[in-house]
Amino acid sequence: MALGAVAEPPVRRRGSDYAQLSRRISQAGLLERRPGWYVTRIVLTLGAFVAGWVAVFLVGDSWWQLPLAAVLAVATTQVAFLGHDAGHRQMFRRRGPSELVGLFAGNLAVGLSYGWWVDKHNRHHANPNHEDEDPDVGAGALVWTPEQAMETRGFGRWMAQRQAYFFFPMLLLEGLSLHVASIRAIIGREPDGRHTVPMRHRAVEAALLVAHTVGYVALLLAVMSPGKALLFAAVHQALWGLYMGCAFAPNHKGMPMPTAEDELDFLRKQVLTSRNVRGSRLVDTALGGLNYQIEHHLFPNMPRANLRRAQPIVRAYCVEQGISYAETGLVESYRQALGHLHEVGRPLRG
């Protein structure tokens, strides 16, 4: 600056950091609905799902049903991704059509309570990776903090010491766990008689879950022997749970876990606790768009098809703001998640 020149006042930013980013995203048209894309996605996904069950009927009492069970595990997970998008109102702005798709995809097709999942998932989005607020990192079969590990006893403590080694095998039981949690959510009550999980359409959800279960069992027993039906169900449910777990595990596991003492605004809360997974459009499809976890958490109602276009805008803005933006390959994301689980158990290995 030349001597005698008057220093210009610093430029004041208008609104929050998130508001500025939101304006850029909105101006790029990335919050607009994509009805054509979703119609195509729904037709292809449900078409593959129905075709898989038609193949089960046609193959009959054969051991070739087991490979079909693996194929249907993939199709079932893709249907579940549609339920996820509906829950975030990525398809429709109105609640009614969103709930209709969610109930069909979740309760009827997959056997997963849509109302339970929405309640749980909304709490996760509000405070991702927060031990006291995010149900996804509460102590359970796995522990996510050294403090949780130290509170374990008996077999739970033995598991916590070795949980990184058991993580992927445990995902084979995730499908069963989701079914059980759905039933508990519908019938569970507090001591005062109130339902434990708020749900708008409890009776409809219960009826659809019953229809799913009866239809699933009846179809298997109608076309194959009880032994083969049991093996089919075991393979289908195990691989569905594994696929679901592998799709969600890279997103937050091993990322910072804020506490009540951390004062983070919305932008930083969502970005710092999330991890993106690099890859082609094949990865986008395989992970249901969840590989753009940062963008998804910042704009949950953004249509899945727009997340790839939003990423460079969000990443550049984070660089401007000096906010760490985590992105890695799929294998490395699992390595980081397993590394975190192993580190959590370190105090117990003493």
Side-chain angles (χ1 to χ4, degrees):
M1 180 184 297
L3 292 176
V6 178
E8 295 182 0
V11 177
R12 291 186 176 275
R13 291 180 297 186
R14 297 173 54 189
S16 69
D17 292 336
Y18 176 74
Q20 294 185 67
L21 174 60
S22 183
R23 281 194 292 272
R24 295 186 188 183
I25 292 293
S26 181
Q27 289 168 0
L30 297 177
L31 296 179
E32 297 298 322
R33 295 299 181 267
R34 298 284 299 274
W37 188 91
Y38 268 115
V39 167
T40 302
R41 178 65 60 180
I42 290 172
V43 169
L44 291 176
T45 302
L46 293 184
F49 182 74
V50 171
W53 285 111
V54 170
V56 168
F57 182 80
L58 295 177
V59 169
D61 191 22
S62 166
W63 291 110
W64 285 107
Q65 293 285 11
L66 297 186
L68 269 178
V71 172
L72 267 169
V74 175
T76 301
T77 306
Q78 289 295 323
V79 172
F81 288 154
L82 292 178
H84 170 270
D85 292 3
H88 283 294
R89 299 196 196 177
Q90 295 177 13
M91 301 177 181
F92 315 101
R93 293 189 184 278
R94 293 171 50 231
R95 171 181 283 177
S98 299
E99 289 185 339
L100 184 62
V101 172
L103 290 169
F104 178 85
N107 293 66
L108 185 60
V110 177
L112 175 68
S113 169
Y114 174 74
W116 164 73
W117 177 84
V118 167
D119 174 74
K120 175 177 178 288
H121 200 59
N122 284 345
R123 287 186 284 131
H124 158 70
H125 266 262
N127 292 284
N129 261 21
H130 192 295
E131 181 182 356
D132 298 324
E133 305 290 342
D134 183 355
D136 289 351
V137 293
L142 298 171
V143 292
W144 307 102
T145 67
E147 292 75 19
Q148 290 178 351
M150 294 302 294
E151 292 175 359
T152 57
R153 297 291 182 271
F155 180 72
R157 175 163 289 221
W158 183 88
M159 277 292 298
Q161 296 176 30
R162 303 163 177 83
Q163 61 181 0
Y165 301 104
F166 287 102
F167 177 71
F168 286 111
M170 288 174 68
L171 289 182
L172 295 172
L173 298 175
E174 179 66 12
L176 177 62
S177 175
L178 292 172
H179 291 310
V180 171
S182 296
I183 296 171
R184 286 179 174 174
I186 289 176
I187 66 176
R189 291 181 180 272
E190 301 287 357
D192 62 4
R194 292 181 298 109
H195 286 287
T196 55
V197 178
M199 205 172 292
R200 283 172 51 83
H201 308 288
R202 192 175 304 275
V204 173
E205 293 217 23
L208 291 176
L209 283 182
V210 170
H212 166 84
T213 304
V214 171
Y216 186 88
V217 174
L219 175 60
L220 295 188
L221 292 179
V223 301
M224 62 187 87
S225 66
K228 288 190 180 73
L230 183 62
L231 283 174
F232 178 98
V235 171
H236 177 218
Q237 297 299 320
L239 293 183
W240 171 57
L242 178 65
Y243 187 177
M244 288 281 284
C246 287
F248 284 89
N251 304 337
H252 302 280
K253 310 313 179 193
M255 296 303 292
M257 299 184 66
T259 65
E261 287 72 34
D262 295 308
E263 297 183 0
L264 298 176
D265 62 1
F266 179 80
L267 175 66
R268 288 161 180 80
K269 179 193 295 186
Q270 302 298 337
V271 174
L272 296 177
T273 60
S274 303
R275 177 195 296 112
N276 275 16
V277 175
R278 288 191 297 267
S280 64
R281 293 188 183 275
L282 178 61
V283 174
D284 295 359
T285 300
L287 297 183
L290 298 175
N291 46 316
Y292 301 108
Q293 191 67 194
I294 294 173
E295 289 72 27
H296 171 58
H297 261 257
L298 289 171
F299 304 98
N301 63 345
M302 178 183 290
R304 190 197 314 179
N306 290 348
L307 292 170
R308 174 177 279 267
R309 293 169 54 201
Q311 185 191 28
I313 299 174
V314 173
R315 182 168 48 197
Y317 187 76
C318 287
V319 171
E320 291 177 22
Q321 301 298 321
I323 302 173
S324 177
Y325 182 99
E327 185 180 22
T328 186
L330 183 60
V331 174
E332 175 61 17
S333 73
Y334 293 135
R335 189 198 68 78
Q336 292 180 15
L338 293 177
H340 172 74
L341 289 174
H342 191 64
E343 185 64 25
V344 164
R346 181 182 297 276
L348 303 182
R349 298 192 294 273

